[in-house]
Amino acid sequence: MPSVPQFALVDVNNFYVSCERVFNPKLEGIPLVVLSNNDGCAVARSNEVKSLGVKMGTPWFKMKHFARQHGIVTYSSNYSLYGDMSNRVVATLRTFTPDLEVYSIDESFLRIETVASLYGGAIPMGQQIRQRIRQWTGLPVCVGIAPTKTLAKFANHLAKKHSAFDGVCDLHALTHPERLAWMLRIEVGEIWGIGPKIAQRLHAMGIHTVLDLYRASSKTMRAQFSIVMERIGHELHGIPCLELEDVQPRKQILSSRSFGAPVESLEALREAVASYLATAAEKLRRQQSVAGAVHVLLMTNRFKEHEPQYNPSITIPLNEACDDTLRLTAAALKGLEAIYRSGFYYKKAGVILTLLSDKAQRPVSLFDDATTHKKSEKLMVTLDVINRTFGQGTIRSAACGIEQPWAMRAESRSPRYTTRWDELPAVQ
């Protein structure tokens, strides 16, 4: 007889904030905000900041005075640190089960019905997951366990918000009336897949709580919304409609950032485009793909209506698909020079690698030079190994520049403790 599905959602609490606190324990209990690209707005808030009423996405310039009043500490986003810490959490989770889906940088789904008994049951397993991740990475997590992914997200919300669960909520362990009682207490907008606009429409229909949605007709939900809403209803009733998803190779790879200050010169734009291309190419090789074309885009600041606006883009096809950073950079710079116009203040640039295909199935041309391909392959492998060992950008093409005055503003970024040798904390 097949066992009842058990999905576990493991979510790192206040992920960006927690990463900062791992390497700076003095920040524990201190109100802390992590800012977005170019220190624009709040993208992560500690519980202390949330209790002060600061909303997600609040612009930094609007909360500077408030932050000084309440002693709020701010950090620029440290993506190198957050990405590496996320990888460490996933590696830890794989020691429990290979049946895992990385849903986001701070969330992963696991199937545990075949392994939970090895740990004394689902709740003991959840507690061991929390303890091991805390011990190996220093990060706090909560675990939600349920017969469907939607309910696992719901259980994780309960585990995070209600101390009675001690960080692990297993809906299998609750009686049916207990489940319904919790559904009555939680607003419908907290359910996975229901955004603010859909929540408003549900409110207009008299559906305010998770229990209201649980009791709603699946046919009505499908007629009023879509099959997706019908599936959410089925999942709330414990009927799995969503399985773990394998990580599929991306169909295109985008690398784009806003500049720390407006850029006018072609030279600075060349450095930025080459740098973004290097990042995209590394991701391309990581997923074992090759690109058949490079798309380049430029953007001025649409919010400065008094300034001239120009937002061009161009696609440069390649003679043969490749993953070589130098060849892709040459194509990207060719495209940039074709669309660049002087007299504009550019706010953003980016590259998109398109027409992606499996590297192993790349068609071989009659004009392919086997020796050149082997040299390119060895060079790219060496480039990636060095940059992964010593930090991104340790070795890069000369086109990327050195000082990079256009680079994204990050005036309060913490050290990249885990990916840069020169930023390791010193022990006195």
Side-chain angles (χ1 to χ4, degrees):
M1 182 176 179
S3 57
V4 176
Q6 286 185 302
F7 291 89
L9 177 68
V10 181
D11 182 13
V12 183
N13 303 339
N14 298 329
F15 180 59
Y16 289 1
V17 168
S18 294
C19 287
E20 299 291 351
R21 286 174 167 170
V22 167
F23 295 94
N24 190 353
K26 292 180 180 179
L27 294 173
E28 288 288 347
I30 301 296
L32 176 62
V33 164
V34 175
L35 301 174
S36 63
N37 291 349
N38 290 309
D39 297 342
C41 58
V43 293
R45 304 153 297 150
S46 68
N47 290 335
E48 296 81 8
V49 172
K50 293 176 183 178
S51 67
L52 292 172
V54 176
K55 303 297 183 184
M56 178 71 82
T58 302
W60 172 232
F61 75 90
K62 287 187 176 181
M63 59 177 291
K64 275 187 177 180
H65 179 67
F66 183 82
R68 284 194 295 268
Q69 278 185 321
H70 295 275
I72 297 175
V73 177
T74 59
Y75 278 89
S76 304
S77 292
N78 188 341
Y79 297 117
S80 297
L81 175 64
Y82 308 150
D84 186 65
M85 293 297 284
S86 175
N87 292 337
R88 294 180 184 211
V89 170
V90 172
T92 305
L93 290 175
R94 291 194 190 280
T95 65
F96 287 92
T97 174
D99 297 328
L100 181 148
E101 173 194 340
V102 180
Y103 178 66
S104 67
I105 193 170
D106 59 346
E107 294 177 286
S108 292
F109 284 104
L110 290 69
R111 284 290 294 264
I112 65 170
E113 65 268 18
T114 60
V115 295
S117 61
L118 301 177
Y119 301 92
I123 292 178
M125 181 179 179
Q127 292 296 350
Q128 289 188 51
I129 288 174
R130 296 184 71 221
Q131 292 163 11
R132 190 175 299 177
I133 291 176
R134 187 73 168 190
Q135 181 180 5
W136 290 9
T137 71
L139 295 170
V141 304
C142 285
V143 183
I145 303 167
T148 70
K149 290 172 77 174
T150 301
L151 284 175
K153 288 276 282 187
F154 174 68
N156 186 277
H157 175 82
L158 297 180
K160 189 177 296 185
K161 299 295 183 180
H162 300 277
S163 59
F165 293 103
D166 193 22
V168 178
C169 175
D170 179 12
L171 292 188
H172 299 91
L174 301 181
T175 64
H176 184 65
E178 287 173 335
R179 280 198 203 183
L180 299 185
W182 281 110
M183 287 182 174
L184 179 61
R185 295 177 58 176
I186 307 302
E187 205 273 326
V188 70
E190 295 292 343
I191 288 298
W192 185 36
I194 297 181
K197 291 184 178 180
I198 293 179
Q200 288 180 359
R201 290 178 60 189
L202 289 171
H203 291 167
M205 297 170 62
I207 298 174
H208 300 281
T209 69
V210 178
L211 183 59
D212 293 333
L213 183 59
Y214 175 86
R215 289 173 170 169
S217 164
S218 60
K219 290 184 178 179
T220 301
M221 290 298 101
R222 180 167 182 166
Q224 292 291 324
F225 297 92
S226 67
I227 190 173
V228 174
M229 185 63 76
E230 182 183 26
R231 287 173 178 166
I232 290 175
H234 289 322
E235 289 244 328
L236 288 177
H237 281 83
I239 303 170
C241 299
L242 303 169
E243 293 297 329
L244 294 188
E245 297 180 7
D246 293 328
V247 178
Q248 298 295 325
R250 304 179 193 181
K251 296 182 180 179
Q252 63 179 25
I253 295 175
L254 166 68
S255 181
S256 176
R257 290 280 174 87
S258 296
F259 302 132
V263 171
E264 187 178 14
S265 72
L266 176 59
E267 180 182 0
L269 289 173
R270 284 173 59 88
E271 290 183 1
V273 167
S275 297
Y276 300 157
L277 190 284
T279 299
E282 193 277 331
K283 294 178 181 178
L284 181 74
R285 292 189 291 273
R286 192 186 306 164
Q287 71 173 35
Q288 296 294 307
S289 296
V290 289
V294 180
H295 185 80
V296 184
L297 59 93
L298 295 173
M299 295 176 62
T300 50
N301 192 338
R302 62 187 177 89
F303 295 106
K304 293 188 176 182
E305 298 177 356
H306 61 283
E307 293 183 356
Q309 299 294 311
Y310 180 51
N311 302 287
S313 64
I314 189 172
T315 299
I316 304 296
L318 303 175
N319 292 331
E320 58 176 327
C322 74
D323 62 2
D324 187 302
T325 295
L326 301 182
R327 292 178 58 192
L328 293 169
T329 298
L333 295 182
K334 177 182 177 182
L336 171 66
E337 291 169 3
I339 62 175
Y340 170 77
R341 298 291 182 272
S342 61
F344 294 94
Y345 291 101
Y346 297 99
K347 175 64 176 175
K348 187 175 185 178
V351 297
I352 305 174
L353 301 182
T354 63
L355 301 180
L356 304 191
S357 57
D358 188 339
K359 183 176 182 177
Q361 299 176 1
R362 181 178 68 87
V364 179
S365 168
L366 292 174
F367 304 100
D368 277 355
D369 184 334
T371 301
T372 300
H373 273 300
K374 287 182 179 179
K375 287 183 178 179
S376 169
E377 188 81 19
K378 289 182 179 179
L379 178 60
M380 292 302 107
V381 168
T382 303
L383 178 72
D384 292 340
V385 168
I386 292 175
N387 285 335
R388 288 172 189 169
T389 303
F390 297 100
Q392 187 177 23
T394 299
I395 294 184
R396 57 181 184 267
S397 68
C400 297
I402 298 174
E403 294 184 357
Q404 301 182 334
W406 47 266
M408 183 181 69
R409 187 169 64 250
E411 297 173 352
S412 304
R413 179 181 54 76
S414 58
R416 291 162 287 189
Y417 298 102
T418 64
T419 58
R420 298 286 295 226
W421 286 105
D422 58 338
E423 295 182 22
L424 281 172
V427 178
Q428 302 296 330

